[in-house]
Amino acid sequence: MIHLHLTTIVLAVILYVIALVFYQKGGEGNAGKMSHMILRADYIFLIFSGLIVYIQNMEGIGASGGHMMYGLKVLFGLAVVALMEMSLIKTQKGSGSANTLKIIAIIVLVITVGLGIYLPLGPLSSMF
Ligand code: HEM
């Protein structure tokens, strides 16, 4: 399940960048909207896979004394999804706060990836 989590994260980042680029270009065409719609479907798999990894490892998490980091990981993961969605909508509308939201989304994304790597499960963690 952690592999599904990683796959959906990579897909989300790629689709987010594509949607941003097309929305920023503006004008006619549905490329931005299309990639945004696929990204929304990907969110479901991303959140689902993260939750399953969390639930499957609840016993280990309880025993390790690292609950707080896992709690933060879930919270930050959900925050990234919310920020990606909000920044895309603001970019599409050409709103002034779009850039601020994009920057916050990227910072929270980097912290979330860092937390995921810091926590013990998954192929990325075992690389470090
Ligand atoms: C865009 C949002 C997210 C990003 C960028 C992200 C990133 C990551 C990364 C890089 C890992 C480590 C994988 C590895 O070590 O191979 C991970 C693990 C994990 N993620 Fe996420 N994640 C996100 C969303 C979520 C959500 C929404 C949840 C829960 C609802 C979640 C729960 C978890 C859990 C429980 C783990 C296992 C932690 C461990 O290594 O012990 N993630 N995530």
Side-chain angles (χ1 to χ4, degrees):
M1 196 49 82
I2 193 107
H3 290 104
L4 177 65
H5 194 55
L6 282 172
T7 312
T8 53
I9 290 162
V10 174
L11 195 63
V13 172
I14 295 171
L15 288 167
Y16 177 65
V17 173
I18 295 175
L20 265 186
V21 169
F22 279 107
Y23 279 159
Q24 269 165 359
K25 270 191 184 170
E28 293 298 304
N30 286 324
K33 271 188 189 153
M34 288 254 289
S35 32
H36 194 173
M37 289 307 284
I38 305 170
L39 175 62
R40 282 174 175 154
D42 187 60
Y43 291 153
I44 299 170
F45 293 100
L46 203 166
I47 296 171
F48 173 78
S49 58
L51 276 179
I52 295 290
V53 174
Y54 183 72
I55 291 165
Q56 276 179 341
N57 295 287
M58 253 173 186
E59 272 182 32
I61 292 168
S64 71
H67 332 56
M68 196 189 80
M69 287 316 227
Y70 272 93
L72 282 178
K73 175 69 192 56
V74 172
L75 218 65
F76 273 77
L78 292 172
V80 177
V81 172
L83 284 161
M84 288 205 295
E85 183 59 25
M86 285 192 288
S87 59
L88 277 177
I89 300 276
K90 294 277 179 191
T91 309
Q92 184 189 22
K93 290 184 177 161
S95 158
S97 57
N99 278 338
T100 319
L101 275 172
K102 261 178 255 168
I103 294 167
I104 300 174
I106 292 166
I107 294 173
V108 179
L109 176 88
V110 172
I111 297 174
T112 311
V113 171
L115 266 175
I117 293 173
Y118 167 79
L119 287 166
L121 299 173
L124 287 183
S125 305
S126 51
M127 276 167 62
F128 293 96

